[in-house]
Amino acid sequence: MRYLFVIRRAPYDGLRAIETLDLLLTVVAFDQTVEVVFVDDGVWQLCRNQRPQALAQRDVAAMWQTLEVYGIDPPWVENESLCERRIKASDLVLPVRSLPRARLAGLMREYDRVLGD
Amino acid sequence: MDVEETAVKGTRFLEFTIQVNASPYAGAAAEHAYRFAQAALARGHKVRRVFFYGEGVYHALKVSPPADEFNLVARWSQLAMSYGVDLVICSAAAQRRGVWEPQTQDELIPGFRIAGLALLVESVLETDRLLVFG
């Protein structure tokens, strides 16, 4: 089955990012195809130069960088979400696939299961 | 809640997995999850498993609200007893929050049990729909 994780919350919202990644890796352990799309404030999770030490938390961007190790394709990132926050692709910690907002609903229909964060 | 007991002829019955990420009394998400499960079951659908994840693991705590206040955890327990719904509290998320520790033999509220994330994924694989609340 094909799974899409839709990440739309800002990082450091309690344990949310960590627990979403735990769930994602459990799905991977079941030999399922997993892809990820970042929209809305979720795009902040991929920004460079995060200093989680100041919050005594784990680096969320570094966590997402490990996806490649598990054979997961580069994540989708919604263009408009980046533009609205004045974030450039070069501000992100990993290569991404860019997705126009108009295509998001269509993308979701390509997967058997869609999960949020 | 006024729900029809008999399903419309020709309705396709579905089997659901429900994920609850919200604690019972913060916001309305947990209440909405319960209402959805109740309505689906009343219409003849199945709810295989409700998986309490993230802040949802606070459903494992034995709460004792005053008698005239609502008790969502008790209602989940009754629903599980009536319809055989599997209520699972995530072990890792519960340990992180001090809600549960493996050494203790504390009994949970009837209908609830503790298990790992694999049970959520297994249920998602085998049922028709996953709904996430909170």
Side-chain angles (χ1 to χ4, degrees), chain B residues 6-89:
Chain B
T6 48
V8 182
K9 205 179 170 188
T11 303
R12 187 185 156 221
F13 294 111
L14 295 174
E15 189 171 16
F16 292 95
T17 300
I18 295 175
Q19 183 186 336
V20 179
N21 294 330
S23 76
Y25 299 108
E31 176 73 23
H32 291 165
Y34 174 80
R35 294 283 182 114
F36 176 84
Q38 193 189 36
L41 290 164
R43 281 170 169 77
H45 298 290
K46 281 186 180 173
V47 177
R48 160 94 59 104
R49 183 168 292 151
V50 182
F51 194 86
F52 297 90
Y53 193 44
E55 306 299 309
V57 299
Y58 287 109
H59 283 79
L61 296 178
K62 281 191 177 132
V63 294
S64 320
D68 59 341
E69 290 180 15
F70 72 106
N71 187 337
L72 184 56
V73 172
R75 281 189 284 149
W76 272 122
S77 178
Q78 284 155 14
L79 199 71
M81 295 295 129
S82 308
Y83 291 96
V85 179
D86 189 19
L87 305 178
V88 178
I89 304 281

Side-chain angles (χ1 to χ4, degrees), chain A residues 1 3 9 15-16 18-20 22-23 26-27 30 32 113-117, chain B residues 19 21 53-54 93 96-97 117-118 120-122 124-125 127-130 134:
Chain A
M1 251 192 248
Y3 286 72
R9 314 244 191 182
L15 293 166
R16 208 174 264 277
I18 290 167
E19 291 188 326
T20 301
D22 282 351
L23 174 55
T26 308
V27 174
F30 273 73
Q32 306 296 306
R113 296 287 185 270
V114 177
L115 293 93
D117 64 346
Chain B
Q19 183 186 336
N21 294 330
Y53 193 44
R96 279 185 176 119
R97 290 166 178 81
L117 271 171
L120 170 59
V121 179
E122 175 201 86
V124 170
L125 276 169
T127 54
D128 302 300
R129 298 278 190 282
L130 163 70

Side-chain angles (χ1 to χ4, degrees), chain A residues 1-5 24 27-28 32-36 72-73:
Chain A
M1 251 192 248
R2 286 163 55 77
Y3 286 72
L4 180 68
F5 279 78
L24 186 152
V27 174
V28 170
Q32 306 296 306
T33 303
V34 172
E35 297 202 7
V36 189
I72 298 171
D73 287 340

